[in-house]
Amino acid sequence: MTPRGKSALLWGAIGALTFLVLAQGAVLLSVPLPVGFLGLLGVAAALGGLVAVVAHRVEHRLTGKGQA
């Protein structure tokens, strides 16, 4: 796996875990959520995948302008 691919997967994991932390905070504050536990896991997986794809597509633009 390339370093860029590994980085994108790690960013995806960070995005998914951040969503789950925010969802847990909403549960602790008694905010009614429209989905259950499995729904939250599905949303987190989809969000993590989206973050990973976006990170892979734009990372080269954010690191070292003018470098290959």
Side-chain angles (χ1 to χ4, degrees):
M1 176 178 290
T2 65
R4 187 171 157 199
K6 188 183 293 187
S7 174
L9 287 177
L10 289 172
W11 276 114
I14 290 169
L17 290 173
T18 301
F19 171 78
L20 289 173
V21 166
L22 291 173
Q24 183 65 38
V27 168
L28 288 173
L29 293 174
S30 300
V31 176
L33 299 175
V35 294
F37 177 71
L38 291 177
L40 288 176
L41 288 179
V43 171
L47 183 65
L50 177 67
V51 169
V53 168
V54 169
H56 193 269
R57 299 279 296 164
V58 302
E59 182 179 17
H60 67 282
R61 295 181 188 182
L62 299 177
T63 58
K65 286 285 189 181
Q67 296 178 0

